[in-house]
Amino acid sequence: MRLATLRAAGRDGKLVKVSPCGTKYADASHIATTLQDAIERWDQVAAPLAALSEGTLPLKSADILAPLPRAWQWLDGSAFASHGDLMDSLLGNKVVRTGVPLMYQGMSDMFLAPTEDARFPSEELSIDFEGEFGVIVDEVPMGTSAADALGHIKLLVQINDWSLRKLALPEMKTGFGWVGAKPACSMAPFAVTPDELGSQWRNGRVCLDLEVCWNGKRFGNPNGEAMEFGFHELVAHAARTRRLVAGTIIGSGTVSNANFREIGSTCIAERRGIEVLDEGAARTEFMQFGDFVKMEAHTSEGAAPFGAIHQRVIQA
Amino acid sequence: MRLATLRAAGRDGKLVKVSPCGTKYADASHIATTLQDAIERWDQVAAPLAALSEGTLPLKSADILAPLPRAWQWLDGSAFASHGDLMDSLLGNKVVRTGVPLMYQGMSDMFLAPTEDARFPSEELSIDFEGEFGVIVDEVPMGTSAADALGHIKLLVQINDWSLRKLALPEMKTGFGWVGAKPACSMAPFAVTPDELGSQWRNGRVCLDLEVCWNGKRFGNPNGEAMEFGFHELVAHAARTRRLVAGTIIGSGTVSNANFREIGSTCIAERRGIEVLDEGAARTEFMQFGDFVKMEAHTSEGAAPFGAIHQRVIQA
C-alpha cells in the first residue's frame, strides 16, 4: 500500500491512497484525516486503508505534499559506514564510533513537498543534498528492543536531508550537533508499507538503488542495503531513554556504498571527500541557486515505489 | 499576564489565564483552545486574553500540564559561560567557542507537567536536572535580526532539562549532539508575558534568581541575567537558516553564575565540575530513584511568576 498527502486546508494536508500505477488516488480521509492521524491509530486504520478500492482520481504532482508535512520528531542516523568514514576524512573531525548508531535530532516542524523549491539564505553556506531512506513508526515504548522495533516500522519513506556544509563542521565541533547546518528536509511523494517492497525490504533495510541526479546528470546510485545498523536498530537506539511518539521519522543518513568511486554518491560532500583522498583537493563545488536535484529509488524491477523528489534551489 | 494549560481531552490540554494570586484561573479556551493555538494567532488573541476578567476557579496543581505539553520545536542554548567553561573542564571535551551561541535541537513532542514523575530506565545513566529559563516565540522569519527577534518573544517559561550524563559525553564526541542523554524536559506551570516581569525582563534576559532544591535542600540560586547571549540573540541564531514555527521554545541552558561556589548550581554536573577543580574528584552523586527536585524562580520582591517545578524521579 502506498499513501500520500495532498494539499488541503490546514498544515497536515489530507490522506490519500495511491493506486498501483502511481498516477491515480482514492481519498482516504474518511478513514484517517491525515497521515499523522493514521499512524496514531495504525492498528485500526491499516486494514480499512488496505481494503480501500483502487483510486480513479488523477494525481497531480503540484498537489502532493510530503507524506508528513510536519512531524513531532525527526531523528536522523548515519548508518552507512562508507559515508561516515569518508566524511571523517573530509572534515578532519574524527567521529568516535562507540558501537552504537550515530543519530541527531533534526528539525521536524516542516518537511518540504517533493517538488517544492528549497530556499536558502546564501550559496556561501555550501548547499548540499543528502539522499536517504527513512521509516515512520507508531508509538514505540521506551526500552523497546531492536527485534521488537521491527514491528513498529509501519511506513517507509525517501528523504532529501538538505545540508549547509559551511555550518556543519563548526556545529559538530561544539558537540551540540546541527541547527544551522540542517534546515528542513524534503520527502518523496509516497509513504509505502514495508510489504510493498517484498524481499527488497529485509533485515530492516530498504534494499533499493537510490538514484540521484544533479542538473539532469546522474550523480550516484548506491543501494540502501549497506546500512551498518538496520532501521530496527536505529529505532531501538532512539527509544533507549524515551518513548517515541507515533509519527516519529527515523532516517538512515546519506545512502552510501563502499564502491562509491564507481557507483557515485548521494551527497556532494561525499564526492568532495573522495576527491580529497584521490586528488588532494575537492574540486566539485556545492550547489548554486537555480540548480536542480532529483532523487528516485528503484526496485530491481525498475519501479519507483516512493516516487521522485525533484527540487530546485533558490535564494530565500 | 500568566497563562497555563490544564488537563483536558487531547494532548494539548486547554488554555486558561491565571489570576495574579496564582491560585485561581479563568477559562480562556473560547479565545484560543490551546496555548499552541494562541501563539499561532498571538496578534489576534493577546488583547482579548489580557482583557479576560480575573478568574475565580480554584487552580489544582494536579490539573496543570506544561504550558506547551508538546511543541513543534525545542532548541536549547547554553548561554551561561560560567557553566560552559566548567562543563568543558569536567567533560574533558573542549567545546570550540565560535562567537555564536551554542545550541542543540531537543525532543519536543512531550514536555512533562510541573509535578509529573520523571521516569528513567536506570540510575546508572547518571540522572541530572538542569534549571533553565526559556522563551516561546510566534513565527520568526528566516534571517530575523536579534533586534527584531525581541518582538517575537511572546512568553517566558521555566524549564527543567532532564539529562542523563552517562550518555552525554559519548554523544557529544560524535559531534551529532544528544539523543539518549536528553529525554523529555519539564516546564513550570505558568507561561508569562515579558511585561509581567517589569524591569526584571531586560536585555533579552530573565533577571530572576532560580532556586533549585534537591530533596528539600537548597542546591543553587543563580540569577538569569548572566547570559552571555540574550534570548533575542539565541532566537536570531536559531533563525539563521530556517523560519521558526510559532510555538518554538528556545532555552537558555543551565542557569549559572560565576560565583557558583557561593551561590550554588542548577545542575549536579556543574557542582561535580567544581569538586573536580577544587578537590580533584567529584563526590556529589547523581540522582537516585525517589529523589525530588524543586525549581522556582523568584523576583526581587519574592514572587514566583512561573510557579514551581516539583518532580520525583522514578524507575521507568
Side-chain angles (χ1 to χ4, degrees), chain A residues 36-252:
Chain A
Q36 178 64 36
D37 178 25
I39 198 75
E40 288 177 6
R41 302 185 291 117
W42 190 256
D43 289 344
Q44 290 165 43
V45 304
L49 286 171
L52 195 61
S53 63
E54 191 168 327
T56 55
L57 300 163
L59 200 53
K60 289 177 201 147
S61 161
D63 294 338
I64 303 176
L65 301 179
L68 285 175
R70 56 181 177 174
W72 288 107
Q73 186 162 245
W74 157 237
L75 295 167
D76 196 12
S78 180
F80 290 89
S82 54
H83 175 74
D85 294 343
L86 199 71
M87 290 302 283
D88 292 351
S89 309
L90 177 65
L91 295 172
N93 186 51
K94 187 61 206 151
V95 168
V96 180
R97 300 197 184 282
T98 53
V100 295
L102 291 168
M103 187 172 283
Y104 71 93
Q105 180 127 20
M107 166 181 172
S108 67
D109 65 276
M110 180 165 62
F111 285 85
L112 303 179
T115 58
E116 187 173 350
D117 289 340
R119 297 164 184 271
F120 303 109
S122 166
E123 290 171 342
E124 301 301 309
L125 295 174
S126 305
I127 302 165
D128 198 359
F129 45 80
E130 278 195 15
E132 305 197 4
F133 294 113
V135 300
I136 303 177
V137 295
D138 64 358
E139 183 163 311
V140 180
M142 190 193 298
T144 294
S145 68
D148 289 343
L150 208 52
H152 290 285
I153 296 173
K154 302 304 186 189
L155 292 165
L156 311 178
V157 292
Q158 185 198 307
I159 293 166
N160 180 7
D161 176 31
W162 285 107
S163 296
L164 299 171
R165 300 292 180 191
K166 187 79 166 265
L167 303 175
L169 184 57
E171 290 189 334
M172 282 189 87
K173 284 192 170 166
T174 67
F176 280 51
W178 300 292
V179 176
K182 294 285 187 181
C185 302
S186 320
M187 265 192 258
F190 311 132
V192 309
T193 47
D195 63 289
E196 191 79 13
L197 300 190
S199 65
Q200 290 169 71
W201 166 252
R202 60 176 177 270
N203 200 14
R205 286 148 171 96
V206 177
C207 304
L208 305 188
D209 293 335
L210 180 56
E211 185 181 56
V212 174
C213 296
W214 179 11
N215 291 334
K217 199 173 154 194
R218 183 192 273 189
F219 192 76
N221 196 35
N223 191 280
E225 187 164 16
M227 286 168 80
E228 187 179 358
F229 297 95
F231 276 112
H232 55 309
E233 294 168 297
L234 298 184
V235 172
H237 174 70
R240 180 173 174 195
T241 62
R242 63 179 72 176
R243 77 91 178 76
L244 305 183
V245 66
T248 293
I249 309 169
I250 308 268
S252 65

Side-chain angles (χ1 to χ4, degrees), chain A residues 23-40:
Chain A
T23 60
K24 293 189 165 60
Y25 74 92
D27 193 323
S29 59
H30 58 290
I31 299 171
T33 54
T34 64
L35 187 56
Q36 178 64 36
D37 178 25
I39 198 75
E40 288 177 6

Side-chain angles (χ1 to χ4, degrees), chain A residues 264-291:
Chain A
S265 300
T266 65
C267 73
I268 300 171
E270 184 173 293
R271 175 169 291 185
R272 288 170 58 89
I274 296 165
E275 291 167 354
V276 168
L277 286 185
D278 295 355
E279 306 168 37
R283 81 190 139 69
T284 304
E285 298 299 327
F286 289 104
M287 294 184 90
Q288 298 193 300
F289 292 139
D291 282 7

